[in-house]
Amino acid sequence: MPPPVPFNRPHVTGDELRFIAQAVENLQLSANGEFTRLCQSWLEERLGAARVFLTHSCTAALEMAALLAGIGPGDEVIMPSFTFVSTANAVVLRGGVPVFVDIRPDTLNLDETLIEAAITPRTRAICPVHYAGVAADLDVIGAIAGRHHLLLIEDAAQGLFASWKGRPLGTFGALGAVSFHETKNVTSGEGGALIVNDPALVERAETIWEKGTDRAQFRRGEVDRYVWQEAGSSFAPSEITAAFLWAQLRQGETITAQRLAQWSRYHAAFEALEQSGLVRRPEVPRECEHNGHLYRLLLASAKAREETLAELGRAGIHAVFHYVPLHDSPAGLRYGRASGNLRVTEDAAARLIRLPLHASLTEAEQARVIEAVYSACRQPEACR
Ligand SMILES: *Cc1c(COP(=O)(O)O)cnc(C)c1O
């Protein structure tokens, strides 16, 4: 049997070690050196954001966002249940309550028509997740946030280089968070960034990022010593991480183009399978330019999903499921609240598979994946 096709293979551009060596020569390895500033200004320019702060993860960026939003005990934040735990943890760590709203069956993003029913006098923010680098409906969600004076925080962990009506994801909310985890398009192993779009939040963001001090102002010579100003933490990555990330960001467009090509190949290949009713392919709204972050299919039933994953495994294809919904998880039940029923979330989470997709996936490997999915679906007990 040919070697297995891994679900993910971290992409390395070849420039990482050179930039890390440069960071070592700079003799500044802690945060906020040359490479941190290079990455931040590049992102600010590319995204058109007021400020960007590198963080050691998107989880950290979401925690910074919750601090900046002033989420406190009992404050509610509306979000999908179909997301990674970090979206909810950031709120819970401040004593807040994640309020879970169902998703749309086509994009698996927050169902914008259900948001207003979830708003109470305790609601402080809406946190849409752009699943698979496909945008949630930012027109409608932005308008709801505006009408109800709620902060919009985008979990754009998967959304770098994707856009809605030509504007980058992560720049619609007052705050946006992106991830550079190994599985994301552009990576530093672990890493992330907080995008601050509301200029009124920049100064406090800088303080919180600097462990709650005005150290950044001190460095710029604006104050003669730095002191503890408010609750903050250690959010910034080291220069070694930033140097690695700099190599990746510079090739971000190329990496994204490769992933989009693979995404499109899967999408074309599975059209016939969708027409025979065995799978449902993802849909991308026409306002959105996505970034090929992941390719997923919905199978006909939970049982079909299990059989298909097992069949793919036997063919040496590492396909995986995705989020286990948060609303009925032990912590979700303890800390959160579901708004209405979450039928689409439960249904999609039980039927979804993600296929191998990464910049170094070869056409031959991809052809094997496609062949194996068709073959699994031809088994009478599998795709039904
Ligand atoms: C990856 C991811 C995160 C967490 O990112 P880390 O950088 O691993 O902390 C949060 N939310 C979503 C939707 C993600 O996909």
Side-chain angles (χ1 to χ4, degrees):
M1 196 160 91
V5 181
F7 174 70
N8 183 50
R9 214 185 272 132
H11 176 67
V12 179
T13 68
D15 291 329
E16 287 85 354
L17 294 179
R18 184 162 59 88
F19 289 140
I20 288 173
Q22 214 172 303
V24 172
E25 280 157 27
N26 288 349
L27 295 178
Q28 202 219 316
L29 295 175
S30 62
N32 208 1
E34 181 194 346
F35 285 103
T36 301
R37 285 192 291 271
L38 277 171
C39 293
Q40 289 181 166
S41 351
W42 190 92
L43 285 164
E44 282 159 11
E45 205 165 301
R46 177 72 174 58
L47 300 169
R51 279 291 295 277
V52 171
F53 295 91
L54 288 195
T55 55
H56 48 76
S57 62
C58 179
T59 300
L62 290 164
E63 288 173 20
M64 268 187 85
L67 274 165
L68 268 167
I71 303 298
D75 287 343
E76 297 181 350
V77 177
I78 291 169
M79 64 179 68
S81 166
F82 187 71
T83 181
F84 191 58
V85 289
S86 299
T87 325
N89 266 325
V91 172
V92 168
L93 284 167
R94 307 253 57 79
V97 180
V99 174
F100 301 113
V101 167
D102 210 3
I103 50 174
R104 293 163 49 133
D106 52 356
T107 60
L108 310 187
N109 283 324
L110 214 46
D111 184 337
E112 64 278 4
T113 65
L114 303 175
I115 293 174
E116 280 189 302
I119 295 175
T120 74
R122 297 307 306 264
T123 310
R124 298 291 307 276
I126 307 176
C127 189
V129 174
H130 304 303
Y131 183 67
V134 174
D137 190 323
L138 286 160
D139 289 343
V140 174
I141 298 173
I144 294 172
R147 198 151 62 233
H148 296 271
H149 308 289
L150 304 173
L151 205 65
L152 183 61
I153 302 170
E154 294 173 74
D155 182 340
Q158 304 173 14
L160 194 65
F161 296 116
S163 60
W164 174 263
K165 291 186 172 169
R167 186 168 145 195
L169 301 191
T171 66
F172 287 79
L175 299 164
V178 297
S179 173
F180 302 118
H181 183 264
E182 179 177 296
T183 51
K184 305 303 200 281
N185 291 21
V186 165
T187 179
S188 54
E190 301 277 354
L194 180 72
I195 303 164
V196 183
N197 301 302
D198 179 355
L201 292 173
V202 167
E203 199 178 318
R204 278 188 59 230
E206 192 172 63
T207 305
I208 290 168
W209 190 66
E210 289 279 14
K211 305 174 179 79
T213 73
D214 50 6
R215 186 166 179 196
Q217 281 160 278
F218 173 70
R219 278 194 210 178
R220 291 194 293 264
E222 294 162 15
V223 291
D224 60 4
R225 68 213 161 104
Y226 69 90
V227 295
W228 188 22
Q229 296 283 1
E230 71 166 296
S233 190
S234 177
F235 287 116
S238 89
E239 274 288 286
I240 301 171
T241 299
F244 191 105
L245 181 63
W246 179 236
Q248 296 258 326
L249 281 178
R250 290 173 7 131
Q251 290 203 17
E253 308 268 6
T254 318
I255 297 168
T256 302
Q258 282 165 329
R259 294 180 81 119
L260 278 169
Q262 294 165 349
W263 193 99
S264 303
R265 222 174 283 139
Y266 276 142
H267 205 58
F270 295 126
E271 190 180 350
L273 205 55
E274 184 175 61
Q275 276 160 3
S276 55
L278 294 175
V279 300
R280 181 163 180 188
R281 296 181 302 162
E283 280 168 56
V284 179
R286 66 188 146 71
E287 297 91 339
C288 171
E289 224 173 297
H290 74 105
N291 60 6
H293 173 58
L294 65 84
Y295 196 83
R296 52 88 178 169
L297 292 170
L298 292 183
L299 294 169
S301 66
K303 181 171 163 290
R305 192 262 296 270
E306 298 324 310
E307 307 265 354
T308 303
L309 284 180
E311 190 62 28
L312 291 174
R314 283 190 285 275
I317 312 291
H318 188 212
V320 293
F321 55 88
H322 211 180
Y323 303 128
V324 177
L326 300 183
H327 66 281
D328 58 0
S329 66
L333 292 168
R334 193 175 328 140
Y335 298 117
R337 170 168 78 73
S339 175
N341 73 61
L342 281 89
R343 247 177 248 137
V344 181
T345 299
E346 287 166 2
D347 174 57
R351 295 194 287 124
L352 183 143
I353 64 170
R354 288 179 291 159
L355 299 177
L357 194 153
H358 43 82
S360 55
L361 185 73
T362 65
E363 277 195 51
E365 286 176 318
Q366 220 186 345
R368 273 180 59 204
V369 177
I370 293 164
E371 166 68 34
V373 170
Y374 267 89
S375 153
C377 285
R378 269 187 231 115
Q379 315 282 328
E381 72 284 10
C383 277
R384 268 152 250 272

